[in-house]
Amino acid sequence: MTTIRLHNTKTRRKEDFVPINPDNVRMYVCGPTVYDRAHLGNARPVIVFDVLYRLLRHVYGADHVTYVRNFTDVDDKINARAAESGRSIGDITAETTQWFLDDMAAIGALEPDAMPRATQYIGQMITMIEDLIAKDHAYEKEGHVLFRVRSYAQYGALSGRSVDDMIAGARVEVAPFKEDPMDFVLWKPSSDDLPGWPSPWGRGRPGWHIECSAMAHDLLGTHFDIHGGGNDLMFPHHENEIAQSRCAGHEFANVWMHNEMLQVEGKKMSKSLGNFFTVRDLLDQGVPGEVIRFVMLSTHYRKPMDWTERKREEAAMTLKTWFRSTDGIKPVSPPPPQIIDALSNDINSHLVFSKLHELHSNGDYTALKAGLRLLGFPDAEKLDWFRGDQEMASFDNLTKESGALFPYLVEWQRLRNSRNYVEADALKARIEAIGIKLSIGPAGPNAEPTEAFDPAKLELLK
RNA sequence: GGCGAGUUGGCGGAGUGGUUACGCAGCGGAUUGCAAAUCCGCGUACAGGAGUUCGAUUCUCCUACUCGCCUCCA
């Protein structure tokens, strides 16, 4: 059996992945807070862990992997959004949850086996908080329940920090009811205008961290294999999850995986910098989901990835080449071993791409197609944008938009046939000026739109 | 200030204690009326300094720079 090697944040090294139970490999990934469209940065962990999910399913069998990704649908950002828009919280979370699923499907992500909503697990959270209080790891103060960080000796081990160091460098305002500045909220009181649930500590709502501990426990048990997310979650979110769960007596996750941040113009995409855009923005601009997926996977997940226009173009070019050569081809099964090996080496997706290039240049298109499938790329036959380009490129099968181009192509062909190359080339230059790439195929002229093509420009040919 | 990650050829980006990554761009060639597409060939890079070693881009230390976390964020 293939040995998968994964970088474990907990040990800071690459380790052989040994599942607790190969018949039920379990993975939990922190999902989005649903209050707005997913920005491009949200897509990175989704794609990275989707590829890992696909690899695990390949190695252990599709029925032997359980992947859980939550939706955080109780959060102060959502409350704020509701207050400013006048819409109900339920409306906002329902809508943005569906947006998220639509957008992630567009970039080729499989849906996890379970997608729990925090609001459906309030009871489990309360039970867990009560247990932590009973075990003296948490305390109630002024309607809040706080986790006592000092009661977990290994607090900070994941992110390589010590409580004392953090207090020394802390820039956080310390709430007066905290025993220790680093203590964090498990439960907080809600005023009447905020969502709240009855609890032993009064009407209130959970803090952010407890939901993942409670849901992972409920759906995956006290001990599971992989916990993933963006590396900005390492501290404090994951650190707090570990503290809570361990103190509740759960073994929790064996392997911790963190993807690096996405950058735009060399800077992290973040709300405070205002340099973020959504997956939907790109899709609406006509960037195919496959291209977004390709760009994401062209950089190893543990390195920062810069989203650039040039990468987008190169990705589209490479994918077109590969789709062209795998169009109508039957893929081999199983996928070629060099692809599995590269992927098994801590999800070295970039190395996979170089192997795919190799398969392509060797003319091994059946293996290339199998590799593309394993990475979660659709078959060329199913891709509308690729099909559209191909059809438009065919002289015999011009689409509505390019129909207006037809007479010019006929004219070009006529000039060429009469060896009137001076005029033929002049016409060609005019056609190419509006973003159409002309070429000659076995059946006659081919016209393929480039990125610069806009149907409105057809007017310019007259 | 505390902690962490990184610095590879024009660009992107893997990897390795000793032999050409790969892709894009570029150059040369085949093919083509010219092109496009396709195919063939060409590039000898690893921030700076010191050390370990027979040998370091790969290990250790130092310096410089970049980025991230410590605050909402994946």
Side-chain angles (χ1 to χ4, degrees), chain A residues 197-254:
Chain A
W197 291 261
S199 81
W201 320 286
R203 182 175 179 278
R205 60 197 195 280
W208 172 35
H209 313 293
I210 191 70
E211 65 174 84
C212 290
S213 287
M215 293 189 287
H217 178 246
D218 198 79
L219 292 161
L220 297 175
T222 57
H223 192 192
F224 57 95
D225 297 291
I226 299 170
H227 191 129
N231 77 353
D232 57 340
L233 295 182
M234 211 159 90
F235 184 88
H237 186 54
H238 289 162
E239 206 73 73
N240 293 353
E241 282 185 47
I242 291 172
Q244 294 158 357
S245 291
R246 298 284 296 183
C247 287
H250 308 162
E251 286 216 48
F252 216 44
N254 273 356

Side-chain angles (χ1 to χ4, degrees), chain A residues 6-20:
Chain A
L6 298 174
H7 180 90
N8 190 348
T9 309
K10 198 162 70 178
T11 57
R12 295 179 195 287
R13 59 180 54 161
K14 227 188 268 187
E15 301 169 345
D16 287 356
F17 174 66
V18 182
I20 298 162

Side-chain angles (χ1 to χ4, degrees), chain A residues 31-36 70-79 82 88-97 115-122 125 195-197 205-208 211-212 215:
Chain A
T33 302
V34 280
Y35 64 104
D36 207 345
N70 67 295
F71 282 108
T72 299
D73 59 354
V74 49
D75 183 276
D76 288 345
K77 288 189 295 290
I78 304 171
N79 302 338
S88 82
I89 287 170
D91 270 6
I92 292 173
T93 57
E95 181 183 60
T96 49
T97 296
M115 297 187 282
R117 275 75 165 164
T119 51
Q120 296 164 346
Y121 287 80
I122 301 291
M125 293 186 222
W197 291 261
R205 60 197 195 280
W208 172 35
E211 65 174 84
C212 290
M215 293 189 287

Side-chain angles (χ1 to χ4, degrees), chain A residues 145-262:
Chain A
V145 180
L146 292 128
F147 185 87
R148 184 176 283 125
V149 163
R150 298 281 181 184
S151 76
Y152 181 60
Q154 291 124 80
Y155 189 81
L158 181 72
S159 51
R161 299 151 197 254
S162 78
V163 174
D164 293 321
D165 285 347
M166 284 185 287
I167 291 169
R171 286 185 274 152
V172 198
E173 207 175 312
V174 180
F177 46 78
K178 286 189 180 180
E179 280 181 14
D180 188 287
M182 298 312 295
D183 288 352
F184 59 89
V185 172
L186 296 170
W187 189 265
K188 52 190 168 188
S190 290
S191 55
D192 291 342
D193 56 325
L194 289 175
W197 291 261
S199 81
W201 320 286
R203 182 175 179 278
R205 60 197 195 280
W208 172 35
H209 313 293
I210 191 70
E211 65 174 84
C212 290
S213 287
M215 293 189 287
H217 178 246
D218 198 79
L219 292 161
L220 297 175
T222 57
H223 192 192
F224 57 95
D225 297 291
I226 299 170
H227 191 129
N231 77 353
D232 57 340
L233 295 182
M234 211 159 90
F235 184 88
H237 186 54
H238 289 162
E239 206 73 73
N240 293 353
E241 282 185 47
I242 291 172
Q244 294 158 357
S245 291
R246 298 284 296 183
C247 287
H250 308 162
E251 286 216 48
F252 216 44
N254 273 356
V255 182
W256 285 83
M257 295 179 67
H258 293 95
N259 61 277
E260 251 291 354
M261 296 294 99
L262 179 110

